[in-house]
Amino acid sequence: TMDVDISSGVIKFSVDMVKPTISSVSVNDDLLVETDCGPDNFVVTVDFSETMDTGMDPTIVFDPVLTGTLTSRTGAWTDSDTYTLTCDVAEVNAIALNVDIDISGANDAAGNTMAADTTSGEDKFSVEIDKPTISSLNVTDNLLTEADVGGDDFVVTIGFSKPMNIGLEPTITFDPELTGTLMNRNGTWTATTTYTVTCDVLDNNITAPDADI
């Protein structure tokens, strides 16, 4: 009968059946607006609970998908348990509130596959890339004659589709320019969605049918 051998089988194998989990999901900007548009301007960072198989990328999905807004998506492991996804932000109109980030498909160093995670990245950011448009454009007089000559006798009123930055004035031009007819042009915001240009009307003996603004 052999003696009991307590050395030959020492540290012959290990057991690791623990699935990796996500420690945190973060973004570099939680509200994407028009000024955020550009290459590599949105980054998602995913931290895992343990050392991962960096030869396999996780699958990262946005809900809603935002395929037209977040483009040129590039993923990379920045260390053994941190993965980043970098995206271009396209300048297209998009409104999406409380976007979720769902993550799946990553393996730890032992080969255990994570359970799909739809909660760690819940409501991580919003998108409000919504260019304003002109909702109305009116003039006080659609035919200027000698009877209209005088100070502040012609007013252009522009209505915008959403509240505007009233610290910034729009550029208003006429075609033809009418520089000798519409003088002393003064623009002002009368409301957050309304801008007016007031002009003196000068008689310089011209005709200009169908002038554009």
Side-chain angles (χ1 to χ4, degrees):
T1 303
M2 67 177 289
D3 294 331
V4 175
D5 187 339
I6 60 173
S7 61
S8 298
V10 172
I11 315 181
K12 287 298 182 181
F13 69 98
S14 299
V15 177
D16 181 351
M17 297 183 183
V18 177
K19 293 179 179 293
T21 58
I22 292 175
S23 301
S24 67
V25 179
S26 60
V27 297
N28 66 325
D29 193 337
D30 61 7
L31 178 60
L32 295 177
V33 296
E34 187 177 351
T35 55
D36 297 311
C37 295
D40 300 338
N41 278 356
F42 184 69
V43 181
V44 178
T45 301
V46 183
D47 285 311
F48 289 90
S49 59
E50 58 179 298
T51 299
M52 302 296 288
D53 176 2
T54 58
M56 176 177 290
D57 289 346
T59 298
I60 297 181
V61 177
F62 300 106
D63 182 15
V65 293
L66 299 175
T67 50
T69 305
L70 300 178
T71 62
S72 301
R73 302 175 184 181
T74 303
W77 290 97
T78 58
D79 59 39
S80 63
D81 62 6
T82 306
Y83 186 84
T84 63
L85 183 71
T86 302
C87 311
D88 294 352
V89 181
E91 194 170 349
V92 294
N93 282 356
I95 300 292
L97 303 180
N98 301 322
V99 178
D100 297 333
I101 304 172
D102 299 334
I103 302 156
S104 62
N107 287 355
D108 66 13
N112 298 310
T113 302
M114 67 175 290
D117 188 322
T118 59
T119 58
S120 297
E122 191 173 17
D123 296 345
K124 279 297 173 180
F125 67 101
S126 296
V127 178
E128 189 178 342
I129 303 173
D130 184 23
K131 289 178 177 292
T133 59
I134 292 176
S135 55
S136 64
L137 196 158
N138 298 297
V139 296
T140 50
D141 194 334
N142 60 13
L143 178 61
L144 294 177
T145 67
E146 288 185 349
D148 298 306
V149 171
D152 298 339
D153 277 0
F154 183 71
V155 181
V156 179
T157 301
I158 303 166
F160 290 90
S161 60
K162 57 187 297 188
M164 304 294 287
N165 175 8
I166 62 173
L168 183 66
E169 295 190 358
T171 299
I172 311 298
T173 58
F174 299 98
D175 184 16
E177 294 181 354
L178 301 175
T179 51
T181 304
L182 299 178
M183 307 290 290
N184 299 322
R185 302 172 185 181
N186 181 37
T188 186
W189 290 99
T190 58
T192 58
T193 59
T194 307
Y195 186 82
T196 64
V197 179
T198 302
C199 312
D200 295 348
V201 180
L202 203 66
D203 184 359
N204 65 344
N205 200 32
I206 69 163
T207 60
D210 301 325
D212 295 329
I213 303 172

